Amino acid sequence: MMKKLFWLCTFAITIIACNTADDITLEAGESFTNTNTKVFSIDTMTVEFSSFKFDSIPFPIGDRLLLGSYSDPVFGKTYSSSYLEFTPETYDVDDEGVFDSIVLVMGYDNYFYNDTLTQMTYNVHEVTERIKPKNNEDYFYNTSTLNYDDTTIFGSHTFTPKPMSSDSIRITLDATFGQELFSEIQDGNITDINLFRDFFNGITIQPVFNDDGSILGFSSDSDNTYVRLYYSVPEDVSNDVQSIDLILNTTDTPETYFNHIESDKTGTNFENFEDEEETYLSNTTENHFYMQGGIGIGNTIRIPHMKSLFELGDSGTVLNAYLKVYVNQENYSDNRNLSDSLSVYIINRHQELSQHLYDYAGEEVNALLTSKTEFSETYYTINIVTFADNILASTIDDDLSLCLLPIDYETCVDRAIFNDSDTNEFNAELVITYALYNDE
Amino acid sequence: MPFTMMNRLYITVILAIACMYIANAQTTNNLTGSPYSLYGLGVFNEANLGKTNALGKSGVAFGSTYELNNLNPASLGSIFKKSFMFDIGINGEMDTYQNNKSDDSKVRTNFANLAVAFPVTPKSAVSIVLTPYSNVGYELIGLQTNVEGSTETYTTYVNGSGGLNSFKASYGIALNKAIRLGGSLEYIFGAIDENEVITYNNSYLYIDRNTYYKNLRAAVGAQIDVNEKFGFGATVKFPTSLHASQNIEVSKIIDLASITVSDDEELEIDNFDLPFEFAVGFRKTFADKFTINADYKRSLWGTTDQTDNLGTFKDKDFIGVGFEYLKSDRSFKYWDRVRYRGGFCYDNGYLTINDETIDNKALTLGLGLPLSLRNNSFINISYSYGKRGVVSSSLVKENYHMVSINLSLENMWFVKNKIN
C-alpha cells in the first residue's frame, strides 16, 4: 500500500514535472508497449425510467413552513397549509399591564415557487384539537391534517409576496382572543405549557385554495416567526409598549407544527398515481418522468442490464459512468425554474428511499444542471460510478434504482419534467467507460 | 589445502553482502533503462566477469588461469592449484533513446557480478558466481489510445522495474593438458514489477503486476587447447522453463478517492521458457603479444514456441570478436604489463516486433590494470558503445555507453594466510 502510494505520488509529480523537464521517460509509439489494457465506452445500455407518488413524506422537524397555492399546467393544483402550535416564552406579565394587540409575524426564508406578483390571501383559523401526531408517532406527514374552526376567521392577510426584498408578513389576530389570553396569564390562570394547552390548541394558516400565485417558504425559527402579544403599563413613565412572544417548538418531538401539502391531479398524468408501490413507465407518460417535492412525485431510474458489462471480459472495472437527463425548454420557465442541483437517492423495488447516492470521496452525489442556451440544451448530469460498481458487485439482484428529488424535497414544491431515452431529441444518455485490464 | 576456515568465512560474508546488495539493487535501481526491457524477462545481462566485457563480450575458449572466465565452466580446469580467485564488478550505463516522436537519456549504475573460484583437487575447481540475469527498467509516458466506441482517448503510463538474478555453481576439470570439461547449475530467480496507470478524464486505473520467476538451468562446456597459444571452446546451455506466478493489484482513483478493484496473489501464469543455446569459440595468440578470439552463439528462441503480446520469438545469433595486446607480463615497467583490449559484437535479437528485429551491436574497449607482480590480480575496465533497435513509429533506437569495472583478485588472502 505504501509502495503504491509512493508510486502514485511519483507519478503525480512526473505528470506535473513533465512539461518542463523531459525526465527519464519516453513518448513511445502506440504499439511499442505490451499493455493489454483496453478501455471501452458504452452508451447503448438500456435505462428504464418511471414515475410514482410517495404515499406520504415525513415532515422534518426544524424545517420551513410552506404556504401558498398555484396551478401547474402539468402537475395540477398544488397547495400547502400549515398547522402551528405557538406557546408563550414567559408566563410573567405586569399586573398593571393593559392588552394592546396580537399579531402573527411570519419571516420569509427566501424560498418561493411560481409567480410572486400575484396577490395571495392567508386565513388563520383556530385548531380544535391538540397539535400532535396521530398514533403516538413523533412526526407528521405531508398528508397529516387536523380539525379546525373554519367558520371563524382568526386573522386574515392579503398581500403581494416579496420573499426576497421583505423580511416578513404580519397578520393581525383576533383581539378578543388576545385580550382573553392576556388576562388569563395576568391573573395567574396560565402559568405553564399544560395550562396554556388547556386554553388554546394552536392555529392553522390556510391560503385561499383557488389563488393561483406562489408557494412561499417561511422560517420556523423563533427569531423570525412568532405570535407577539403587545401590552402597555399605564404607570410606566417611558410609556413603552411591552410584549410577550409565543414561539414554535422546533427541536423536541413529538412535533407540534407541520405543513399539509396536497394537490389536485385531476386531468393530469398523475391522476391515477395513488399507491407508491405502483410505478408508471415513462412510455405511459409521454416519454417523460417526473419529480415534485412536497407532494412527493418520485421517479426510478433503473439500469436492468448493467451486468452485461461482464460480457466484455472478466477483469474489468468502471472508470467513469454518468447519466445525462434533459429537460425540454417548454417544461420550465422563470416562474417554474430548475434548481442548479438535485438530490440523488438510491431506491429499492418498493420505492423506499434507502439513502443518498454517495461518490467515492464520501460526498453526496447531486445531479448538476447545465444550460446551454445557444443549443437550447438543458440537462442534469449525474456521476453514477459508485452506483454502477454497487450493482456490478452485488451477488443478489437488489433491483436498485436511482431517484431524483429536489434538495429538501420534503419542504419544497420544486418540480421537473425529464425526458426518457425514447423522445425525438434530447434523449437521456447513459455513458459508461469500462476498462479491461487483464484481457487474455 | 587451500580452502581454509578463514576463506570459508570470507566467502560466506561476501555472499551475504552480495545477496543483500542484489536484493537492494533489484528494488531500488534498474541496471537497464532500455524500453526494450518491457519484453520477455527484460534485457538479458551481457556484462560478465573479468576481461570478456572488453573482448566483444566473447571468450568461451579462454581458461581461468589468470582471470575467472564465466563464459565456460570448463575453464575452471585451468585454475592453478593454490589459487583463490575473487571477482567483483560494477556497471554504469548511459542510454539515449530515440524514436520518431521524441528522445531521452538516462544514466544508471549497478552491481554487475560477484564471484569466487577455488580448486577442489589439483586438476579441478569450482566457482560460485552471482550476476544479474536480466534487467527491467522502462518508463513510457503519454501513450494515447482510443476509447473503443468513442472518439475520446485515454492515456497510459507504463513503467517496469526489477529483473532476474543468477546464482551459478560451476565445476571444471582438466582431463589432461589439452582437454577440459565442465558443467554448471544455475538458479535463476527474481521478480519483475510492472506498473500501469491509465488516465481517463479525472479517473485513474492503476495496475501493479508483480511476476516471480524461478528455476534451475544446467550447462556444460568443453575446452581443447591445441597448444598454449591456440585453443577452442564450446558450451551448451540446456532449455529450462522458469516457473512464474503473478500478484496483480488493481485499484482506481475516482472522485479523488482510491478504491481497490482486485488484489490477487500467486496467480498461475504461463512459464517463461529459456531455449537451448550453444556457443563455440577459439583463441589464438600471435608473437606472444597479440591474442584474438571469437565466439559464435545461437539461442534457439524460435523453438520455445512462446509469444509476447506484440513480439514473436525467433532464434538469435551472436557473434563476438575480441583482441588483446600485452607487451610483457614479466616487465618491471607497469605500462608494459597492462593489457589493452578491444572488440565488437553483434546479435540479431530474439524478438521480431512488427516484422522488425531488434538487433544489437556494440564496440568494446578495455584495459586490464595489474595490481601486483606476485599474482594475477587486475582491475579490468571496459567501455562499450552499442546500438539497439531502429528508429520507427513503433520501435525505438537506443544508444548505450556502458562502463564496467571489475576487480579480479587472485590469491591475495592466501598469501596473507601463508605469512601468518
Side-chain angles (χ1 to χ4, degrees):
Chain A
M1 193 62 201
M2 283 307 294
K3 192 181 160 206
K4 188 176 77 184
L5 278 176
F6 166 76
W7 208 86
L8 284 169
C9 289
T10 312
F11 167 69
I13 292 162
T14 310
I15 302 279
I16 293 161
C18 70
N19 287 333
T20 50
D22 186 22
D23 232 2
I24 48 163
T25 49
L26 191 72
E27 195 184 346
E30 196 164 303
S31 55
F32 190 75
T33 71
N34 61 352
T35 168
N36 50 18
T37 307
K38 285 196 195 90
V39 181
F40 297 86
S41 177
I42 298 109
D43 58 3
T44 51
M45 206 172 272
T46 307
V47 188
E48 276 178 18
F49 302 92
S50 56
S51 308
F52 67 95
K53 184 177 178 304
F54 287 101
D55 289 346
S56 59
I57 297 174
F59 177 69
I61 192 165
D63 255 25
R64 74 162 61 98
L65 307 174
L66 269 186
L67 290 169
S69 179
Y70 91 97
S71 292
D72 192 292
V74 177
F75 291 81
K77 169 65 93 181
T78 302
Y79 177 81
S80 182
S81 57
S82 298
Y83 294 78
L84 314 157
E85 182 190 57
F86 286 99
T87 56
E89 275 190 305
T90 172
Y91 299 93
D92 185 21
V93 297
D94 196 310
D95 287 349
E96 302 299 317
V98 177
F99 169 77
D100 181 79
S101 61
I102 184 166
V103 289
L104 166 62
V105 176
M106 304 278 293
Y108 286 119
D109 82 342
N110 299 342
Y111 176 78
F112 64 94
Y113 205 71
N114 206 42
D115 177 16
T116 58
L117 297 174
T118 303
Q119 272 203 344
M120 302 294 295
T121 298
Y122 291 176
N123 291 320
V124 183
H125 298 271
E126 184 179 354
V127 175
T128 55
E129 57 183 312
R130 261 294 296 285
I131 299 182
K132 63 173 186 186
K134 296 266 165 24
N135 309 323
N136 287 325
E137 287 178 320
D138 278 341
Y139 298 98
F140 287 105
Y141 296 88
N142 62 341
T143 51
S144 300
T145 180
L146 295 170
N147 294 319
Y148 63 92
D149 176 5
D150 64 350
T151 56
T152 315
I153 290 186
F154 212 63
S156 181
H157 187 55
T158 301
F159 63 106
T160 304
K162 292 185 176 121
M164 303 306 282
S165 60
S166 172
D167 289 341
S168 58
I169 59 169
R170 295 170 69 88
I171 306 174
T172 304
L173 298 183
D174 182 31
T176 318
F177 163 73
Q179 174 65 64
E180 209 175 321
L181 173 61
F182 184 75
S183 300
E184 289 289 304
I185 294 174
Q186 198 172 37
D187 297 346
N189 294 332
I190 297 174
T191 54
D192 63 25
I193 190 166
N194 292 323
L195 291 168
F196 176 79
R197 279 175 172 161
D198 292 340
F199 173 75
F200 189 69
N201 288 307
I203 56 170
T204 173
I205 304 171
Q206 300 284 332
V208 172
F209 190 82
N210 289 328
D211 279 354
D212 181 7
S214 55
I215 293 199
L216 303 173
F218 295 96
S219 166
S220 58
D221 192 281
S222 62
D223 290 338
N224 304 312
T225 294
Y226 45 84
V227 171
R228 185 161 287 177
L229 201 158
Y230 292 97
Y231 64 97
S232 58
V233 181
E235 266 117 66
D236 189 342
V237 284
S238 69
N239 214 16
D240 279 351
V241 175
Q242 298 193 35
S243 65
I244 53 172
D245 283 353
L246 287 76
I247 58 169
L248 295 169
N249 178 354
T250 56
T251 49
D252 300 329
T253 55
E255 289 177 340
T256 57
Y257 75 103
F258 64 94
N259 300 318
H260 171 81
I261 309 169
E262 62 184 277
S263 67
D264 180 357
K265 305 187 296 284
T266 314
T268 68
N269 283 332
F270 314 102
E271 203 162 1
N272 302 320
F273 283 32
E274 285 306 331
D275 185 349
E276 71 181 11
E277 294 261 359
E278 280 174 40
T279 59
Y280 296 84
L281 278 171
S282 56
N283 60 18
T284 66
T285 54
E286 299 167 21
N287 289 108
H288 292 305
F289 64 101
Y290 303 88
M291 161 195 104
Q292 187 182 26
I295 298 291
I297 303 288
N299 46 69
T300 63
I301 302 171
R302 199 170 154 256
I303 307 164
H305 309 304
M306 186 80 89
K307 285 188 173 171
S308 65
L309 286 174
F310 293 141
E311 288 162 20
L312 290 171
D314 288 337
S315 308
T317 189
V318 175
L319 281 188
N320 195 6
Y322 68 88
L323 191 68
K324 249 179 169 180
V325 290
Y326 288 83
V327 179
N328 287 343
Q329 279 206 309
E330 68 269 20
N331 286 328
Y332 67 97
S333 65
D334 287 346
N335 278 338
R336 292 182 289 277
N337 61 317
L338 298 171
S339 63
D340 290 341
S341 54
L342 305 177
S343 289
V344 183
Y345 288 88
I346 295 174
I347 194 166
N348 69 13
R349 65 163 69 95
H350 303 296
Q351 281 67 251
E352 292 162 344
L353 293 184
S354 56
Q355 59 170 51
H356 277 277
L357 178 64
Y358 289 95
D359 69 13
Y360 276 119
E363 306 286 333
E364 282 177 11
V365 172
N366 286 330
L368 302 174
L369 183 68
T370 306
S371 206
K372 292 182 177 166
T373 43
E374 68 269 36
F375 304 115
S376 313
E377 267 189 16
T378 302
Y379 55 86
Y380 285 95
T381 311
I382 311 151
N383 166 12
I384 62 159
V385 175
T386 47
F387 182 66
D389 277 350
N390 187 356
I391 293 183
L392 293 175
S394 67
T395 48
I396 51 162
D397 184 13
D398 296 327
D399 200 8
L400 296 177
S401 302
L402 295 171
C403 176
L404 300 181
L405 288 172
I407 290 170
D408 299 330
Y409 69 94
E410 303 98 330
T411 51
C412 79
V413 290
D414 291 12
R415 57 33 146 211
I417 301 151
F418 305 105
N419 295 353
D420 72 3
S421 40
D422 291 315
T423 55
N424 290 329
E425 56 174 350
F426 302 135
N427 285 323
E429 298 166 19
L430 169 66
V431 181
I432 296 176
T433 309
Y434 193 72
L436 284 185
Y437 51 82
N438 210 19
D439 195 26
E440 293 303 333
Chain B
M1 187 65 196
F3 193 67
T4 64
M5 277 301 289
M6 197 62 190
N7 297 318
R8 229 176 279 172
L9 187 65
Y10 271 119
I11 293 166
T12 314
V13 170
I14 288 165
L15 288 180
I17 292 169
C19 286
M20 284 189 291
Y21 188 87
I22 263 203
N24 187 44
Q26 292 300 342
T27 55
T28 60
N29 205 350
N30 312 307
L31 176 63
T32 176
S34 172
Y36 287 110
S37 68
L38 64 79
Y39 294 101
L41 300 175
V43 169
F44 293 106
N45 177 40
E46 287 165 357
N48 221 308
L49 276 58
K51 65 185 177 186
T52 55
N53 284 338
L55 299 173
K57 297 167 186 171
S58 63
V60 292
F62 288 117
S64 291
T65 317
Y66 300 108
E67 291 176 32
L68 187 53
N69 178 7
N70 192 39
L71 292 177
N72 191 340
S75 69
L76 294 167
S78 70
I79 288 185
F80 289 134
K81 67 179 179 182
K82 285 189 176 174
S83 182
F84 179 92
M85 306 187 94
F86 172 73
D87 193 301
I88 184 165
I90 56 164
N91 270 350
E93 192 171 324
M94 190 186 95
D95 298 336
T96 57
Y97 317 107
Q98 198 189 347
N99 63 8
N100 52 18
K101 281 187 180 170
S102 63
D103 54 47
D104 197 2
S105 67
K106 56 180 140 184
V107 176
R108 291 169 187 274
T109 58
N110 210 340
F111 163 83
N113 67 272
L114 184 82
V116 292
F118 45 86
V120 286
T121 69
K123 289 192 170 179
S124 69
V126 297
S127 70
I128 294 167
V129 182
L130 196 55
T131 54
Y133 185 80
S134 73
N135 287 287
V136 175
Y138 59 85
E139 194 163 325
L140 300 170
I141 64 157
L143 208 64
Q144 300 282 333
T145 313
N146 280 325
V147 175
E148 288 189 33
S150 152
T151 53
E152 294 180 294
T153 59
Y154 63 94
T155 310
T156 309
Y157 300 80
V158 193
N159 89 351
S161 61
L164 272 55
N165 305 303
S166 157
F167 184 84
K168 183 162 73 170
S170 307
Y171 175 79
I173 184 165
L175 296 181
N176 53 44
K177 272 201 155 185
I179 298 172
R180 293 182 293 276
L181 295 178
S184 67
L185 203 57
E186 186 176 17
Y187 183 55
I188 299 167
F189 63 100
I192 292 170
D193 186 12
E194 282 179 290
N195 292 297
E196 186 177 345
V197 178
I198 282 175
T199 72
Y200 171 77
N201 290 344
N202 291 320
S203 301
Y204 300 87
L205 182 68
Y206 172 89
I207 305 156
D208 182 8
R209 289 188 185 87
N210 269 298
T211 313
Y212 300 89
Y213 295 96
K214 60 182 180 199
N215 206 357
L216 289 167
R217 189 186 199 188
V220 293
Q223 290 182 332
I224 298 167
D225 292 349
V226 176
N227 55 46
E228 238 179 67
K229 292 173 182 171
F230 185 38
F232 295 97
T235 59
V236 166
K237 286 186 179 176
F238 296 101
T240 189
S241 190
L242 298 179
H243 301 304
S245 70
Q246 197 170 55
N247 295 352
I248 305 181
E249 196 185 325
V250 181
S251 56
K252 58 184 177 180
I253 297 180
I254 292 176
D255 310 325
L256 300 178
S258 175
I259 306 110
T260 300
V261 174
S262 67
D263 189 355
D264 297 312
E265 301 213 333
E266 296 188 17
L267 298 174
E268 288 291 318
I269 62 164
D270 289 347
N271 287 353
F272 189 91
D273 292 333
L274 296 176
F276 182 86
E277 290 179 90
F278 68 89
V280 291
F282 76 93
R283 62 179 172 85
K284 171 83 178 153
T285 303
F286 301 96
D288 289 332
K289 287 186 174 60
F290 303 98
T291 305
I292 64 161
N293 69 285
D295 284 3
Y296 168 76
K297 187 166 72 179
R298 188 167 172 86
S299 310
L300 305 178
W301 284 101
T303 61
T304 61
D305 241 0
Q306 298 180 106
T307 53
D308 210 57
N309 283 313
L310 289 163
T312 319
F313 286 79
K314 63 177 256 308
D315 291 353
K316 169 178 153 180
D317 299 295
F318 168 92
I319 294 167
V321 177
F323 171 82
E324 183 179 78
Y325 170 75
L326 167 66
K327 192 166 183 185
S328 163
D329 64 351
R330 297 274 173 255
S331 170
F332 286 99
K333 282 187 185 163
Y334 183 77
W335 291 105
D336 290 351
R337 287 183 277 128
V338 170
R339 286 147 167 85
Y340 300 88
R341 295 163 184 149
F344 77 89
C345 58
Y346 170 82
D347 74 66
N348 56 9
Y350 70 101
L351 273 174
T352 308
I353 299 162
N354 295 345
D355 295 327
E356 291 177 288
T357 57
I358 306 160
D359 59 356
N360 176 18
K361 40 191 173 260
L363 274 176
T364 62
L365 292 171
L367 292 173
L369 303 171
L371 293 175
S372 160
L373 264 174
R374 288 185 298 161
N375 59 39
N376 291 308
S377 291
F378 295 91
I379 291 177
N380 290 308
I381 299 171
S382 77
Y383 162 81
S384 60
Y385 172 67
K387 291 180 178 184
R388 189 160 27 221
V390 291
V391 181
S392 76
S393 61
S394 59
L395 294 181
V396 175
K397 181 172 167 182
E398 180 185 347
N399 292 332
Y400 56 92
H401 299 270
M402 188 167 84
V403 174
S404 59
I405 300 171
N406 280 75
L407 188 62
S408 305
L409 306 176
E410 189 213 12
N411 262 0
M412 291 188 106
W413 301 321
F414 290 95
V415 172
K416 280 180 191 166
N417 284 343
K418 283 175 194 166
I419 291 164
N420 289 345

